Amino acid sequence: MLFGSANSTHLAATSSRFAGLSLGRTRRSVAYVGVDLSETYAKIACLRENRNGGFDWTQQYRWKLPAMASNEPSTTWLDDVLKSLADRLPRPIDGDVNLATVALPMSWTQYQTALGHELDQVHRRSDAIFRHSVFASDSAVCHWPVTGAHLRLPDANSQYVTAATAQRASCQIAAVITSLGYQVRSVLPHAVALTHASFQLTGIDAQCVLWLDRSSALIAVRHRSGVGLARSLPSLPTHLDTPDVAVRLDAYALRPYLSDIAGEYHRTADYVARSENASRSQKPILIAGSLAGIDGVDEVLATLCNVPIATWTFRSGSRPTPPSNSACVQDLQLDSDFASALSLAYATTRTSKRGYGK
């Protein structure tokens, strides 16, 4: 499913393989690939089914995307990102089937809430916003109910979350990935992928997923019907995200920022409790992203949020062995940093030619 309406068509590709994993194999192999794009990095994760009915994490790969001049996107920068994907994305091996799900940078996605009868208006407003942006494109919009079908069937007066991004950029990125031998089954919002995969990949029955990265932050509520309220959160302050402090960024330096994030969590939890006419959940919060792996961040958030905090960790199956280059080992071993790419790979297992969840 292209990142759009629930019934929009998917983008398909020709079949191939993934990054040298199947040399010497005589039978067809299926790889489920997540392509996670942020404002600064591309991260790739691959899952394969194992004999126990679960998934092995068989490969991971990341590289730095071209820097934005003045930290503002431009058409030149968008072209550079497409070229970087074409040059750096691992080439599949002939004979394997490689199914992929993609997420665009979070800053390219606009989350908001609206009533059911306002969804058409939201789509028109999103079109206007993206047409007058650097993307010069119509929007692709998807939506889902805040409270979920486990409470009541949503109707025209129910609250929905909408997620909108640039349609043209989605199609261009999917086309590049397709040209390299992947079957792009869906372009999804991060909120959907992270929430739907959280229990299956970590075993944690969380009330929400909190994504904390250097370039973006997000909260996505998880309930019995799937994903609920999702909101973009304030990103890391610029004075903390500089080369001078990046190597020594710790929980103490992050505490003022984490206090702001905790405040956003409390507002989100209160909103959800009112919507569901229930008390606030005491289930743990699942934290992911590069900041989630910093020592002490979980303890600070547990104190500020007054609920248990669990750091995103892949729970089962095998995992790739990091390269011997010690400079890369720390980043590559950080499960929370690859949580989104792995969640997208898992989302691929739930897609068909009709789209995600079909």
Side-chain angles (χ1 to χ4, degrees):
M1 179 186 74
L2 179 62
F3 189 53
S5 67
N7 297 316
S8 59
T9 56
H10 70 287
L11 292 172
T14 56
S15 60
S16 252
R17 41 150 200 183
F18 186 80
L21 290 177
S22 302
L23 285 172
R25 291 186 181 181
T26 56
R27 67 181 183 86
R28 213 175 190 199
S29 177
V30 178
Y32 302 101
V33 182
V35 182
D36 176 29
L37 301 179
S38 74
E39 292 77 7
T40 51
Y41 282 95
K43 298 171 189 174
I44 316 299
C46 176
L47 294 176
R48 291 181 187 270
E49 292 183 86
N50 57 37
R51 295 179 180 178
N52 300 321
F55 292 94
D56 293 329
W57 178 7
T58 58
Q59 194 159 7
Q60 58 190 15
Y61 184 54
R62 64 181 286 171
W63 73 91
K64 194 171 181 61
L65 291 172
M68 288 184 282
S70 305
N71 292 320
E72 291 293 334
S74 65
T75 53
T76 301
W77 177 74
L78 290 173
D79 290 341
D80 290 342
V81 169
L82 293 173
K83 185 177 185 305
S84 180
L85 273 173
D87 292 343
R88 300 290 298 274
L89 193 67
R91 267 53 173 178
I93 291 175
D94 293 333
D96 278 4
V97 175
N98 295 269
L99 308 179
T101 298
V102 184
L104 275 61
M106 288 189 191
S107 64
W108 297 11
T109 306
Q110 181 185 59
Y111 291 95
Q112 59 182 304
T113 56
L115 296 176
H117 61 78
E118 298 173 333
L119 292 175
D120 288 341
Q121 298 174 38
V122 170
H123 201 153
R124 287 194 293 272
R125 287 198 300 268
S126 298
D127 282 344
I129 289 170
F130 282 97
R131 285 171 189 161
H132 292 88
S133 71
V134 66
F135 300 102
S137 164
D138 284 342
S139 63
V141 183
C142 63
H143 62 267
W144 58 88
V146 168
T147 56
H150 64 285
L151 289 178
R152 62 181 179 274
L153 291 176
D155 56 30
N157 294 314
S158 298
Q159 288 277 347
Y160 286 81
V161 179
T162 66
T165 193
Q167 187 178 91
R168 180 179 299 171
S170 299
C171 293
Q172 287 175 325
I173 287 170
V176 168
I177 297 171
T178 293
S179 71
L180 299 177
Y182 297 84
Q183 296 182 30
V184 178
R185 286 291 180 88
S186 185
V187 180
L188 284 180
H190 285 87
V192 172
L194 284 164
T195 307
H196 284 177
S198 61
F199 179 75
Q200 287 77 6
L201 296 185
T202 70
I204 303 296
D205 183 15
Q207 61 170 293
C208 64
V209 180
L210 194 57
W211 175 262
L212 299 173
D213 205 42
R214 292 186 181 276
S215 54
S216 54
L218 171 80
I219 186 169
V221 174
R222 176 178 171 268
H223 53 52
R224 280 181 291 167
S225 302
V227 59
L229 183 63
R231 301 171 57 222
S232 297
L233 301 181
S235 56
L236 188 68
T238 341
H239 72 274
L240 289 176
D241 191 18
T242 65
D244 293 336
V245 300
V247 293
R248 62 176 184 272
L249 199 58
D250 56 24
Y252 177 79
L254 285 170
R255 189 178 179 93
Y257 173 64
L258 296 177
S259 181
D260 291 341
I261 294 296
E264 296 291 348
Y265 157 73
H266 286 301
R267 284 186 279 277
T268 301
D270 287 341
Y271 182 94
V272 171
R274 288 195 301 271
S275 298
E276 298 187 350
N277 195 24
S279 57
R280 282 176 52 166
S281 174
Q282 293 303 305
K283 290 181 178 181
I285 298 172
L286 188 61
I287 59 172
S290 59
L291 301 183
I294 295 175
D295 288 342
V297 164
D298 54 348
E299 296 176 6
V300 172
L301 280 173
T303 300
L304 294 170
C305 297
N306 197 30
V307 291
I309 299 292
T311 303
W312 204 103
T313 305
F314 185 68
R315 71 167 179 171
S316 62
S318 62
R319 63 180 60 231
T321 302
S324 57
N325 181 354
S326 60
C328 300
V329 170
Q330 184 175 1
D331 283 341
L332 289 174
Q333 285 183 328
L334 193 60
D335 288 14
S336 62
D337 202 18
F338 274 84
S340 185
L342 284 163
S343 297
L344 291 163
Y346 178 77
T348 310
T349 71
R350 301 178 59 174
T351 61
S352 70
K353 291 183 178 180
R354 295 175 56 203
Y356 178 66
K358 301 293 185 180

